[in-house]
Amino acid sequence: MAPTPARNHRTRVHVVSDVHGNARDLARAGEGADALICLGDLVLFLDYADHSRGIFPDLFGVENADRIVALRTARRFEEARALGAELWAGLQGDRATVIEKAVRKQYAELFAAFPTPTYATYGNVDMPPLWREYAGPDTTVLDGERVEIGGRVFGFVGGGLRTPMRTPYEISDEEYAAKIEAVGEVDVLCTHIPPEVPELVYDTVARRFERGSHALLDAIRRTRPRYALFGHVHQPLVKRMRIGATECVNVGHFASTGTPWALEW
């Protein structure tokens, strides 16, 4: 837990989400801040902006990355899964083992880049069981939990809801709602996915609605936190809007921007 600052000290927190392999900028993300908050998606499996980057093209090449992105963008998910199954069938080694090895390589670099202190929760493409191995003593991992930073209470809820993409940390609506309920009333509500509001969940580049949470939206309306911070949608139709008393902010696709969002009080 961060120490309570003196009365004349202003607290500054930097917030990032959707890091997707950007260790270089992550190492600088805490500069000038009392703490860094990371809202998940550390892993880069496939970069939709640059198909040459990520675990998928490393294994199967850029041409196949182009093919699978085109299918997913067209929402032809069954064809995308069939292509993926064909590619994996032709690869030597167990699929889970190959993926875990690649993810471990990324986690070793990314967790080493976290500044002191860091408070983090999982994204939908993360592998939570591995985080315990890589999070050092100055990185606090929270999911359905609260922490005080500079006199304000921050609540954290990680993961995403189930989709046809079948990413590693997708959970049921009921499990997600239970974590939201466990957090309760906080000053700042930090989640990986946004509340279920059309303008906040629509990705203008992917040209699709991502999944947001109705339970999160209900909690925002009911508990009225000062801020609701989230990522997940890389190019949202709207990056910021008010819901009642709460300022809702997409803190950005950090892999692309390399710039944290700042909160100061």
Side-chain angles (χ1 to χ4, degrees):
M1 184 174 294
T4 301
R7 289 183 180 180
N8 62 349
H9 174 74
R10 292 186 64 80
T11 299
R12 182 180 177 92
V13 171
H14 288 174
V15 191
V16 302
S17 186
D18 299 87
V19 175
H20 293 302
N22 189 350
R24 181 192 62 186
D25 290 322
L26 186 62
R28 300 193 294 260
E31 292 178 358
D34 296 283
L36 177 75
I37 289 173
C38 178
L39 302 184
D41 272 9
L42 299 184
V43 173
L44 178 60
F45 193 77
L46 176 57
D47 189 334
Y48 277 59
D50 180 354
H51 303 169
S52 68
R53 298 180 64 243
I55 294 171
F56 188 93
D58 286 349
L59 293 174
F60 304 116
V62 177
E63 182 179 342
N64 284 319
D66 291 340
R67 293 171 64 195
I68 206 158
V69 168
L71 290 172
R72 288 178 176 176
T73 302
R75 303 188 65 80
R76 292 158 61 184
F77 295 117
E78 290 299 329
E79 293 175 68
R81 276 196 288 274
L83 173 59
E86 177 186 340
L87 293 172
W88 281 107
L91 192 72
Q92 290 186 340
D94 174 69
R95 175 174 179 169
T97 302
V98 170
I99 291 177
E100 182 175 319
K101 181 179 179 180
V103 170
R104 283 182 177 278
K105 182 179 178 181
Q106 291 189 11
Y107 277 169
E109 183 180 16
L110 291 160
F111 277 91
F114 274 142
T116 300
T118 292
Y119 301 89
T121 196
Y122 316 110
N124 60 292
V125 303
D126 285 311
M127 299 177 68
L130 298 184
W131 280 39
R132 292 188 294 272
E133 297 182 38
Y134 293 94
D138 297 315
T139 297
T140 303
V141 180
L142 302 128
D143 190 14
E145 299 164 284
R146 302 145 56 102
V147 69
E148 183 179 318
I149 306 172
R152 287 190 176 178
V153 178
F154 288 69
F156 291 79
V157 174
L161 299 175
R162 289 176 180 155
T163 72
M165 303 289 281
R166 299 181 183 176
T167 51
Y169 193 39
E170 293 181 355
I171 59 177
S172 69
D173 289 61
E174 293 76 17
E175 186 178 351
Y176 194 88
K179 293 196 293 185
I180 292 287
E181 186 66 24
V183 165
E185 295 187 15
V186 294
D187 297 304
V188 184
L189 185 51
C190 300
T191 60
H192 177 67
I193 63 174
E196 182 56 57
V197 177
E199 296 89 341
L200 296 177
V201 300
Y202 186 74
D203 191 306
T204 59
V205 174
R207 301 193 302 277
R208 65 169 180 257
F209 290 96
E210 302 289 355
R211 284 212 65 189
S213 168
H214 288 287
L216 174 57
L217 178 60
D218 291 344
I220 290 169
R221 288 170 170 163
R222 185 178 70 254
T223 65
R224 299 162 60 89
R226 296 171 186 258
Y227 291 92
L229 309 179
F230 48 86
H232 187 56
V233 182
H234 292 176
Q235 295 87 200
L237 185 63
V238 173
K239 294 182 178 179
R240 187 169 185 155
M241 71 186 310
R242 292 194 73 84
I243 297 177
T246 303
E247 190 74 13
C248 298
V249 184
N250 183 316
V251 298
H253 181 198
F254 186 75
S256 173
T257 68
T259 303
W261 186 79
L263 177 62
E264 189 171 359
W265 67 96

